[in-house]
Amino acid sequence: MESSIEVVCCQLAPVVGQFEANIELVRDGIAAAVRDGAQLVVLPELATSGYVFRSEEEARAAAVSVNGPELTGWAAEAARGSALVVGGFCELGEDGRLYNSCALVDGEGVRAVYRKIHLWDEESTWFVPGSECAPVVETDLGRIGLAVCYDIEFPELTRGLALNGAELLAMPTNWPRGWAWDSDVPILTTLARSTAYLNRVYVALCDRGGSERGLDFEGGSVITSPDGRVLAGPPSLPGVAGAVLRATCDLTTARTKGTGTRNDAFADRRPELYPADLVSPPRSSASPSQPAPAP
Amino acid sequence: MESSIEVVCCQLAPVVGQFEANIELVRDGIAAAVRDGAQLVVLPELATSGYVFRSEEEARAAAVSVNGPELTGWAAEAARGSALVVGGFCELGEDGRLYNSCALVDGEGVRAVYRKIHLWDEESTWFVPGSECAPVVETDLGRIGLAVCYDIEFPELTRGLALNGAELLAMPTNWPRGWAWDSDVPILTTLARSTAYLNRVYVALCDRGGSERGLDFEGGSVITSPDGRVLAGPPSLPGVAGAVLRATCDLTTARTKGTGTRNDAFADRRPELYPADLVSPPRSSASPSQPAPAP
């Protein structure tokens, strides 16, 4: 296992309804990053489809299957440099339903797919939420945790990925442009730094840029280190469409959680004292098949 | 219940070993804040004792009991304005042990005491960690969650306080001065913003300033709103000793967790999918009296 890897976020601006162009845009982005030495390439959420759908038909027309030629194309580019690619796509499931998914792809093909479990706004009109928690994928480069956009607002998920061994969280994102203040760092950067720091992991968050049907995106991609520093990004705000962020990340530093001579971010946890309703009732309870009620 | 309250963080610089002077410093700080209209006064961690002890004896000499005259003095000042005070103190427990505690005091006396459950660095030399999770206290001003300093690095605790109904987290803090970068906001501000935003609560974090026996403190007090904005602070860094931060906080805005027309920070949670080891094994397991092993 290599100790340091070259991580690149390809912030792109796909265009809803222009499927072929988006496929090409993404593939060109991966190709350029790999050519320039990227070992892990992170793409935005829904990179192949765009975001602001108007109809079910439009979403379906932009959907691809895990085994289709589009992700195979990512693998072909990854193979040129023994790279990994993590990117978001509109997935047509084998069940005929649509998912807001992200895939981890290497030179041989799709290694893992995660279907976003926290859907934002109109996404729930087009997509079915995933039914499995975000995975940590063991790769030749290290352990990569997957999460998508709004997932970053659920510390149960990001903490869980870290507890499950993730050394880097790869987070395809489509962040609608937020409020900005003269004196404040964007909240997306703040969340990425905080997530990295609290869990002592790298965060490679690849946002999209541009606008779609009146919705402006933040273009707020950022790469942060396990001590909460910003290593790259965000591109000059607001709304830069395309940008390439690059950082060298030594994932071995994310394998230990020591934070001082006597402290450790994980060993210092007091799980026996935390509220039980952070997670579901145990599966062994009376109604194991029922999801926990929302608080 | 009032809809908006005046929150004041009294950033002070107590001096270890000068017990009487610290008691007076804190009482004067509360008195001035209440006189100026504060309804909730937040003080630093270990405000009455200082932080960098050299010996068990020194820590014991600075310890006070919950029923002692020191906290009664806080109550006397609070009573002048129907205010609440949250502050840190070195507690001599009825069991003879020392705790790094914080108290919530109103005009009638001590309403709640929290013994810090995550101890930082040498604190574990002097203090026994608490054995109960941080509480949420129902008050006339709203629901106040208590946490101390390093606790902010445990999202299980801060999320738990919010799930338990906290509308504002009052966080006495003694933050050793961190690295600073030209372009980055301090990590303490970042954590406060993120904690507030993710949980849609106010955070009133009162740090201390100054130096003690070679340890510089950040002086990074900050008050943040449920949408992640900085309302007040941090004082000009590094290391401002004394500072008074003030913000008007409408706690009713922290009672609902809606984040958009279709989204809700709490209802959107998927607790049935989060890793079970975020919290302990259920109490009904084979060894209910055993704490969960650290991960």
Side-chain angles (χ1 to χ4, degrees):
Chain A
M1 186 171 306
E2 309 188 40
S3 62
S4 286
I5 65 171
E6 292 298 307
V7 177
V8 167
C9 289
C10 285
Q11 180 175 299
L12 306 169
V15 180
V16 70
Q18 303 198 5
F19 181 73
E20 295 302 336
N22 292 336
I23 298 298
E24 190 172 351
L25 177 74
V26 170
R27 188 159 172 166
D28 288 351
I30 300 170
V34 171
R35 195 168 53 234
D36 291 345
Q39 294 170 280
L40 172 63
V41 182
V42 187
L43 303 163
E45 180 182 10
L46 294 174
T48 56
S49 63
Y51 186 82
V52 185
F53 301 120
R54 278 206 189 108
S55 68
E56 167 87 11
E57 293 67 39
E58 196 173 53
R60 288 200 166 266
V64 304
S65 74
V66 168
N67 299 317
E70 297 81 8
L71 298 194
T72 304
W74 296 10
E77 299 306 332
R80 295 180 206 276
S82 302
L84 298 176
V85 178
V86 174
F89 66 106
C90 174
E91 181 191 357
L92 176 63
E94 65 287 344
D95 58 4
R97 298 166 120 181
L98 301 186
Y99 297 91
N100 183 342
S101 296
C102 90
L104 187 151
V105 173
D106 66 14
E108 300 189 353
V110 176
R111 288 283 310 280
V113 171
Y114 162 60
R115 293 168 168 174
K116 188 180 184 185
I117 64 173
H118 306 102
L119 298 179
W120 176 255
D121 202 44
E122 290 200 352
E123 293 171 29
S124 54
T125 307
W126 324 117
F127 299 118
V128 178
S131 57
E132 292 181 33
C133 198
V136 177
V137 188
E138 181 98 39
T139 76
D140 289 343
L141 301 179
R143 293 187 185 130
I144 313 296
L146 305 181
V148 177
C149 198
Y150 183 42
D151 284 338
I152 202 173
E153 298 198 14
F154 298 86
E156 301 91 340
L157 183 146
T158 51
R159 176 65 115 193
L161 285 169
L163 289 175
N164 286 337
E167 294 150 6
L168 180 147
L169 306 188
M171 307 190 74
T173 293
N174 277 189
W175 198 266
R177 190 182 303 171
W179 18 246
W181 319 290
D182 291 341
S183 59
D184 270 357
V185 167
I187 196 68
L188 185 58
T189 305
T190 299
L191 296 177
R193 287 186 62 196
S194 168
T195 299
Y197 176 89
L198 294 179
N199 298 296
R200 303 284 151 171
V201 295
Y202 288 91
V203 171
L205 184 153
C206 188
D207 195 12
R208 64 161 288 172
S211 297
E212 239 177 37
R213 294 175 173 165
L215 181 66
D216 296 331
F217 292 96
E218 178 117 328
S221 302
V222 66
I223 303 174
T224 54
S225 68
D227 62 359
R229 294 172 199 254
V230 173
L231 299 178
S236 302
L237 297 174
V240 169
V244 174
L245 273 58
R246 177 181 298 274
T248 303
C249 300
D250 179 359
L251 298 199
T252 61
T253 64
R255 272 171 223 159
T256 54
K257 306 298 176 181
T259 52
T261 52
R262 301 166 191 240
N263 289 94
D264 184 289
F266 283 6
D268 289 348
R269 295 174 66 241
R270 304 288 304 277
E272 75 281 11
L273 300 183
Y274 303 138
D277 61 356
L278 282 170
V279 301
S280 68
R283 295 287 180 181
S284 58
S285 70
S287 307
S289 64
Q290 302 238 338
Chain B
M1 187 172 305
E2 308 187 41
S3 63
S4 287
I5 65 171
E6 292 299 305
V7 177
V8 167
C9 288
C10 285
Q11 181 175 300
L12 306 169
V15 180
V16 72
Q18 303 198 4
F19 181 73
E20 296 301 336
N22 292 335
I23 297 298
E24 190 174 351
L25 177 74
V26 169
R27 189 159 171 167
D28 287 352
I30 299 170
V34 171
R35 195 168 53 235
D36 291 345
Q39 294 170 280
L40 172 63
V41 182
V42 187
L43 303 163
E45 180 182 9
L46 293 173
T48 56
S49 63
Y51 186 83
V52 185
F53 301 120
R54 278 206 187 109
S55 68
E56 168 87 9
E57 293 66 39
E58 195 173 53
R60 287 199 168 268
V64 304
S65 74
V66 168
N67 300 316
E70 297 81 9
L71 298 193
T72 303
W74 297 9
E77 299 305 333
R80 297 181 205 276
S82 301
L84 298 176
V85 177
V86 175
F89 66 106
C90 174
E91 181 191 356
L92 176 63
E94 66 287 344
D95 57 3
R97 300 166 120 180
L98 300 186
Y99 298 91
N100 183 342
S101 296
C102 89
L104 186 150
V105 172
D106 66 14
E108 301 189 353
V110 176
R111 288 285 310 279
V113 172
Y114 162 61
R115 294 168 167 175
K116 188 180 183 185
I117 63 172
H118 306 103
L119 298 180
W120 177 254
D121 202 44
E122 290 200 352
E123 293 172 28
S124 54
T125 307
W126 322 118
F127 300 117
V128 178
S131 58
E132 291 182 34
C133 198
V136 177
V137 188
E138 181 98 39
T139 76
D140 289 344
L141 300 179
R143 294 187 184 129
I144 314 295
L146 305 182
V148 177
C149 198
Y150 182 42
D151 284 338
I152 202 173
E153 299 198 14
F154 297 86
E156 302 90 339
L157 183 146
T158 50
R159 176 67 116 192
L161 285 170
L163 288 175
N164 285 337
E167 295 150 6
L168 179 147
L169 306 188
M171 307 190 75
T173 293
N174 277 188
W175 199 265
R177 192 184 300 171
W179 17 246
W181 319 291
D182 291 342
S183 58
D184 270 357
V185 166
I187 197 67
L188 186 58
T189 305
T190 300
L191 295 177
R193 287 186 61 195
S194 167
T195 299
Y197 176 89
L198 294 179
N199 297 298
R200 302 284 151 172
V201 294
Y202 288 90
V203 171
L205 185 153
C206 188
D207 195 13
R208 65 161 287 172
S211 296
E212 239 178 37
R213 295 174 173 168
L215 181 66
D216 296 331
F217 293 96
E218 178 116 329
S221 303
V222 64
I223 304 175
T224 54
S225 68
D227 62 358
R229 295 172 199 254
V230 173
L231 298 178
S236 302
L237 297 174
V240 168
V244 175
L245 274 56
R246 178 182 296 275
T248 304
C249 301
D250 178 0
L251 299 198
T252 60
T253 64
R255 273 171 221 159
T256 55
K257 305 299 176 181
T259 53
T261 51
R262 301 166 192 241
N263 290 92
D264 184 289
F266 283 6
D268 289 350
R269 296 173 67 242
R270 303 288 304 278
E272 75 281 11
L273 300 183
Y274 302 139
D277 61 357
L278 283 170
V279 301
S280 69
R283 296 286 177 179
S284 57
S285 70
S287 307
S289 64
Q290 302 240 335

